[in-house]
Amino acid sequence: MPNRQNTHQVNDADPHAGYSPRLCNEDLAPTRDQNWSWYNIFSFWMSDVHSMGGYVVAASFFTLGLASWQVLLCLLVGICIVQLCANLVAKPSQMAGVPYAVISRQAFGVFGANIPAVIRGLIAFAWYGIQTWLAANALMLVLLKFWPSLSALTSASFLGLSHLGWLCFATMWLLQAMVFWHGMSAIKRFIDIAGPAVYVVMLALAGWIVYKTGLDGISFTLASKSLTSGEQTWQMITAIALVVSYFSGPLLNFGDFSRYGKSMGEIRRGNRWGLPFNFLLFSVVTVVIVSGTQSLFGRMITDPIETVSRVGNDLAVAIGLLTMITATIGINIVANFVSPAFDFSNCSPQKISFRTGGMIAAVGSVLLTPWNLFNSPELIHYTLDVLGAFIGPLFGILLVDFYVIKRGQVSVNDLFDDTPKGKYWYRNGFNPKAIAALVPSVAIGLVISFIPALHEVANFSWFIGVFVSAAAYRWIAREDRAAAPARFGALAQKE
């Protein structure tokens, strides 16, 4: 198991002494402010779970033909897998006090780490744009609800988005940038509020549904189609995989936040309350609302915006939609802003700060015109599969390298050493073995994703990527594992 005593700490007088400027800046250096409690971690996950995307994912499982109790079971099993993985990926960053991009230097080399950093950064800012557009849509509904005359601005469009759409998108873009610009302390305060706020709206909406339909209108055996026992089992396994895939992005860069944790005990407690317990309650409320819409409106509604918009009271609709907008901003900052901020900064620490890296993602999200991407269901399907194809292998290599090859030890000083003497120099700053495990693992995932006959298997691209890359790297780097304890042990004795 990892041991804090084996972590090489920085000098108290000068925390950056001896660190290469090619690898370090204030944002990437080991943090001294490890003050996040379990509640801060809990709030982080609340922001991830309580969003329009999380609601749609949970609600969409009804379309697989599963009954309500089966949906709940799938959600719970999937989120327990996410919790286990979150605890594993949190440890190295919490020990070293560094973000994901920096801890990746252990496996990929001090310069090779730019490979996973850029991959994760590009994926994040693509989704940043899509989530911003979703929030902008909710804002547009609020504006049209109270000022119907604004509908004149929806008649003309530019680059596929109406003038009112551009106005709402720009508003959401600026609001998120303002929160991000004030740094991690502001982000922490924001997510502490955003997640709980959604519970108020969700519980109120569930209460309204039950009030309108009565308890008899809520069915926990509701299913959209009839399936055999074998088909139900397969669909449940698929649903579990989709839950893990949905959280795979925030899961990979969870180290960006666990680095601030007071201890692993606090992080595990936050993960426990923020994932299985929190997600189960959120899922129960979601199931109540979705199954209630069947009784109330004659069909299942899986879009939370549409459900909220059907509430008769205009003020209630406005409050509900604005709260969902807040939640979406929360997950967007957590999952798709902080990650590329650190990832792009890692590529050129002296030229790209945390703020600059985040703004690169923000500007890139506009240039992608994400509303055009989202308007193509086929493209979104491929995007999700490709996401898993890349993120799974990165996750597998990170964990095998830390827990198996390095035996749970981190040499912090060597993470910032760009000389051949550095432990993570490997070959000119790149680890050929990690790259050799990554390339075929990603290739296999991409082949599965783009072959129509393997459509159902593509839902498991994250798991396939994890296992293939982990097995490949474990075998390729098997000689390094045998030598690792002696090298780290000798170095620990010297210091």
Side-chain angles (χ1 to χ4, degrees):
M1 291 298 293
N3 190 328
R4 183 80 185 188
Q5 293 177 347
N6 291 330
T7 304
H8 294 233
Q9 300 298 315
V10 296
N11 185 291
D12 288 337
D14 185 359
H16 301 167
Y19 288 180
S20 168
R22 300 169 68 191
L23 300 173
C24 183
N25 61 27
E26 289 292 333
D27 302 307
L28 299 177
T31 181
R32 290 187 162 192
D33 297 322
Q34 292 185 307
N35 55 12
W36 282 35
S37 68
W38 71 270
Y39 180 78
N40 300 126
I41 301 298
F42 169 62
S43 297
F44 163 84
W45 288 116
M46 288 181 82
S47 293
D48 270 344
V49 171
H50 303 172
S51 66
M52 288 182 282
Y55 182 99
V56 169
V57 167
S60 67
F61 292 159
F62 286 101
T63 63
L64 297 176
L66 300 176
S68 300
W69 69 268
Q70 292 172 319
V71 171
L72 284 175
L73 181 61
C74 294
L75 292 170
L76 185 59
V77 173
I79 209 66
C80 285
I81 295 174
V82 174
Q83 180 198 6
L84 173 64
C85 294
N87 288 336
L88 291 174
V89 81
K91 183 64 179 179
S93 286
Q94 196 279 330
M95 286 177 63
V98 297
Y100 163 74
V102 174
I103 206 65
S104 292
R105 296 172 184 174
Q106 239 193 337
F108 286 88
V110 290
F111 297 132
N114 287 330
I115 296 172
V118 169
I119 290 173
R120 179 65 184 103
L122 292 176
I123 290 172
F125 83 60
W127 280 107
Y128 175 81
I130 291 172
Q131 290 277 17
T132 301
W133 179 67
L134 289 173
N137 273 351
L139 177 61
M140 187 160 60
L141 281 177
V142 175
L143 294 177
L144 291 173
K145 189 82 172 178
F146 285 91
W147 296 281
S149 60
L150 292 174
S151 60
L153 295 175
T154 63
S155 58
S157 65
F158 174 67
L159 294 179
L161 193 63
S162 70
H163 294 165
L164 183 59
W166 273 107
L167 178 63
C168 293
F169 186 88
T171 301
M172 289 297 98
W173 191 93
L174 288 172
L175 286 175
Q176 292 172 131
M178 285 172 60
V179 175
F180 171 81
W181 196 257
H182 285 82
M184 286 302 296
S185 60
I187 292 172
K188 182 176 78 169
R189 289 194 298 269
F190 185 86
I191 63 177
D192 284 349
I193 298 171
V198 179
Y199 257 135
V200 176
V201 171
M202 292 290 289
L203 290 171
L205 187 58
W208 179 77
I209 290 282
V210 173
Y211 171 76
K212 288 290 187 179
T213 64
L215 291 176
D216 294 338
I218 307 300
S219 172
F220 282 87
T221 58
L222 185 67
S224 61
K225 50 187 174 182
S226 179
L227 300 176
T228 65
S229 297
E231 289 173 335
Q232 287 182 0
T233 301
W234 174 252
Q235 294 291 13
M236 290 179 71
I237 293 173
T238 300
I240 291 169
L242 289 174
V243 171
V244 180
S245 296
Y246 175 75
F247 287 98
S248 62
L251 188 60
L252 180 65
N253 70 288
F254 183 50
D256 294 346
F257 299 89
S258 67
R259 67 182 296 209
Y260 300 105
K262 292 180 180 179
S263 67
M264 275 306 300
E266 290 284 311
I267 292 172
R268 290 191 188 96
R269 185 183 177 191
N271 287 343
R272 184 168 60 250
W273 285 103
L275 288 168
F277 288 99
N278 170 50
F279 197 65
L280 179 61
L281 179 57
F282 180 79
S283 300
V284 169
V285 174
T286 299
V287 167
V288 168
I289 294 172
V290 173
S291 61
T293 59
Q294 176 73 41
S295 301
L296 192 57
F297 305 116
R299 65 183 181 90
M300 285 190 293
I301 300 175
T302 59
D303 184 348
I305 295 178
E306 182 179 350
T307 304
V308 171
S309 67
R310 287 174 176 259
V311 177
N313 187 288
D314 287 351
L315 180 61
V317 171
I319 293 175
L321 291 176
L322 288 173
T323 305
M324 288 188 174
I325 289 171
T326 301
T328 303
I329 290 176
I331 187 177
N332 218 11
I333 291 175
V334 164
N336 303 318
F337 215 146
V338 171
S339 172
F342 284 124
D343 293 337
F344 292 137
S345 179
N346 186 74
C347 296
S348 183
Q350 296 306 304
K351 296 179 181 179
I352 305 176
S353 66
F354 175 76
R355 285 179 174 177
T356 304
M359 295 313 294
I360 289 174
V363 173
S365 71
V366 180
L367 298 178
L368 280 175
T369 61
W371 45 89
N372 290 323
L373 294 178
F374 199 77
N375 281 337
S376 170
E378 183 180 15
L379 186 55
I380 288 297
H381 165 73
Y382 283 124
T383 301
L384 285 170
D385 293 341
V386 170
L387 179 81
F390 278 101
I391 289 183
L394 294 177
F395 185 85
I397 292 171
L398 175 71
L399 293 193
V400 167
D401 183 77
F402 178 71
Y403 287 99
V404 180
I405 305 301
K406 303 299 192 301
R407 304 289 181 88
Q409 301 174 83
V410 181
S411 177
V412 177
N413 292 341
D414 286 296
L415 292 173
F416 300 92
D417 188 346
D418 64 350
T419 69
K421 295 181 180 179
K423 196 179 306 299
Y424 310 126
W425 176 253
Y426 298 111
R427 187 178 299 172
N428 297 319
F430 293 81
N431 183 4
K433 296 179 180 178
I435 296 172
L438 176 67
V439 172
S441 302
V442 171
I444 290 172
L446 292 177
V447 168
I448 292 174
S449 299
F450 289 103
I451 295 180
L454 299 176
H455 170 70
E456 291 190 352
V457 181
N459 292 324
F460 301 89
S461 59
W462 185 85
F463 289 92
I464 293 171
V466 170
F467 288 116
V468 171
S469 65
Y473 185 62
R474 170 68 182 86
W475 184 78
I476 294 172
R478 60 192 183 280
E479 295 180 359
D480 295 340
R481 181 178 185 269
R487 293 205 305 269
F488 275 103
L491 188 55
Q493 291 178 359
K494 290 179 182 180
E495 296 194 359

